Amino acid sequence: MIYLHDGHIRTLGIDWNRLTGIVETAVRERERGTCVSPAKTYLRYGDLRNRIIAMPAYVGGTFDMAGIKWVAGFPGNILRGLPRASNVIVLNDARTGIPVAFIRSALLNGLRAAAVSGLMLRAYLEARQPEEVSLGIVGWGPIGRLHLDMCAQLLGNRLKRVTLFDLRPIDLQTIPSDLRCIACIADDWRAVYGASDVFATCTASAERYIDEAPPPGALLLNVSLRDYEPGSIFGKAQPIVDDWSEVCRENTDIERLHAACGLGEAAALTLADVVCRDALRDIPAGMPIFFNPMGLGVFDIAIAGDYAKLAAERGIGIPLEEE
């Protein structure tokens, strides 16, 4: 059994094309029925804003890996100078059930989130074929920064402008040096929203604040899931989810749309529809796309399993021995 942490993951490298490819393969395996992913379990106590989530999963096909993700989200940690999210993944040999890797890596949690967004971005680019893209990100924490890194790699020369906003001041030095010439920091979220072809919410907002209709044809990556007032989006964008039963709960924007506006499962497309059935090509070019990824354990286990395999091949990680 090996132990891996953020430093090991960085040493192994971050390749967004590889990571989005892993997520795509996991989507296809799940559609084929070779994956098992029970509903997440939420543990809450004391301050009910906090939660620790258990996400067991098995990913079949070439992955053939089982495991569990145990991820904590404590929004108040930001004020304490601590990470909002803490993440542990245990991987088990699928044939014997024996644990083979223990990974403590908040970075891995962010990589999964951005890789899932990257898969949707890639499909959006293939369907819409934009010559250039303006990117907007609200929330400049670790998830927002990874989304900029991912978008910059996948968009390449098509990325013409980056607009950022956070309630806290953004240090220009935290923006990659090669992107500073096209980056600007906005005074509020509205300036980001209205100027973006691709718009990502990566916040820990306690209140919904987006109360305007989205720009025509925009891709809305609703990573933080709780930023949109129902009236701002209902009937004005095509909702897409990774899994309806997972995302239509826990006070998400999709659950609010379901309760307040009657949005039903049949009206939402899935990530499998996009990947396996090319669903974006049937959406009119002027219709915004509203992507709501709750995060599925199969994606975390697939990505963690890939890193564990690379670590074993390169001799990276700390061996853990049984007594």
Side-chain angles (χ1 to χ4, degrees), residues 56 110 163:
T163 310

Side-chain angles (χ1 to χ4, degrees), residues 17-134:
N17 285 303
R18 181 184 181 99
L19 290 169
T20 56
I22 290 169
V23 175
E24 178 180 355
T25 302
V27 170
R28 294 186 185 278
E29 289 296 340
R30 190 168 184 262
E31 184 70 2
R32 288 177 54 213
T34 63
C35 299
V36 180
S37 52
K40 299 177 184 180
T41 298
Y42 289 74
L43 175 64
R44 287 189 171 89
Y45 53 89
D47 186 344
L48 297 183
R49 295 176 303 168
N50 302 329
R51 61 191 186 274
I52 310 178
I53 309 171
M55 300 166 59
Y58 166 74
V59 190
T62 58
F63 296 107
D64 195 28
M65 181 68 69
I68 187 167
K69 175 180 178 179
W70 181 238
V71 57
F74 280 54
N77 279 0
I78 295 173
L79 300 177
R80 303 184 184 99
L82 297 171
R84 184 185 68 83
S86 304
N87 181 47
V88 165
I89 294 177
V90 178
L91 298 176
N92 301 73
D93 182 286
R95 295 167 299 168
T96 65
I98 295 173
V100 293
F102 181 90
I103 307 172
R104 184 177 186 270
S105 173
L107 174 59
L108 208 58
N109 184 56
L111 293 180
R112 185 271 303 156
V116 173
S117 293
L119 181 59
M120 179 58 65
L121 174 61
R122 208 171 68 188
Y124 173 83
L125 297 176
E126 291 171 0
R128 300 280 171 93
Q129 295 290 315
E131 294 183 3
E132 58 182 51
V133 171
S134 293

Side-chain angles (χ1 to χ4, degrees), residues 307-319:
Y307 271 108
K309 180 180 178 181
L310 288 175
E313 291 172 353
R314 300 181 190 179
I316 293 173
I318 300 171

Side-chain angles (χ1 to χ4, degrees), residues 231-307:
S232 70
I233 207 76
F234 183 68
K236 301 168 186 174
Q238 172 61 58
I240 299 178
V241 301
D242 48 7
D243 182 277
W244 176 268
S245 61
E246 284 283 10
V247 79
C248 190
R249 60 179 179 144
E250 291 294 321
N251 191 36
T252 64
D253 291 335
I254 289 293
E255 185 182 36
R256 283 285 187 93
L257 285 166
H258 176 65
C261 305
L263 179 72
E265 182 175 2
L269 297 172
T270 67
L271 194 53
D273 290 327
V274 173
V275 170
C276 304
R277 290 173 283 281
D278 218 7
L280 293 192
R281 296 190 185 276
D282 297 327
I283 301 173
M287 174 65 75
I289 295 165
F290 184 48
F291 181 46
N292 294 261
M294 190 66 156
L296 302 180
V298 293
F299 302 148
D300 292 282
I301 299 306
I303 290 174
D306 187 70
Y307 271 108

Side-chain angles (χ1 to χ4, degrees), residues 37-230:
S37 52
K40 299 177 184 180
T41 298
Y42 289 74
L43 175 64
R44 287 189 171 89
Y45 53 89
D47 186 344
L48 297 183
R49 295 176 303 168
N50 302 329
R51 61 191 186 274
I52 310 178
I53 309 171
M55 300 166 59
Y58 166 74
V59 190
T62 58
F63 296 107
D64 195 28
M65 181 68 69
I68 187 167
K69 175 180 178 179
W70 181 238
V71 57
F74 280 54
N77 279 0
I78 295 173
L79 300 177
R80 303 184 184 99
L82 297 171
R84 184 185 68 83
S86 304
N87 181 47
V88 165
I89 294 177
V90 178
L91 298 176
N92 301 73
D93 182 286
R95 295 167 299 168
T96 65
I98 295 173
V100 293
F102 181 90
I103 307 172
R104 184 177 186 270
S105 173
L107 174 59
L108 208 58
N109 184 56
L111 293 180
R112 185 271 303 156
V116 173
S117 293
L119 181 59
M120 179 58 65
L121 174 61
R122 208 171 68 188
Y124 173 83
L125 297 176
E126 291 171 0
R128 300 280 171 93
Q129 295 290 315
E131 294 183 3
E132 58 182 51
V133 171
S134 293
L135 171 67
I137 299 174
V138 173
W140 191 238
I143 301 297
R145 298 178 195 190
L146 286 170
H147 271 73
L148 176 57
D149 188 51
M150 174 274 292
C151 289
Q153 182 175 332
L154 296 188
L155 288 168
N157 293 333
R158 283 187 281 194
L159 180 58
K160 297 302 180 184
R161 180 173 58 185
V162 176
T163 310
L164 307 173
F165 173 71
D166 195 288
L167 292 175
R168 295 167 295 173
I170 296 176
D171 184 349
L172 285 172
Q173 298 304 310
T174 61
I175 302 172
S177 57
D178 60 329
L179 296 176
R180 288 174 199 161
C181 61
I182 62 169
C184 64
I185 299 171
D187 294 329
D188 59 39
W189 66 267
R190 296 177 195 276
V192 185
Y193 194 47
S196 300
D197 305 305
V198 176
F199 176 76
T201 49
C202 303
T203 76
S205 178
E207 302 290 339
R208 287 169 170 82
Y209 56 92
I210 297 177
D211 57 3
E212 297 180 359
L219 172 61
L220 311 175
L221 300 171
N222 190 21
V223 182
S224 40
L225 294 169
R226 299 167 183 88
D227 293 72
Y228 290 81
E229 293 284 357

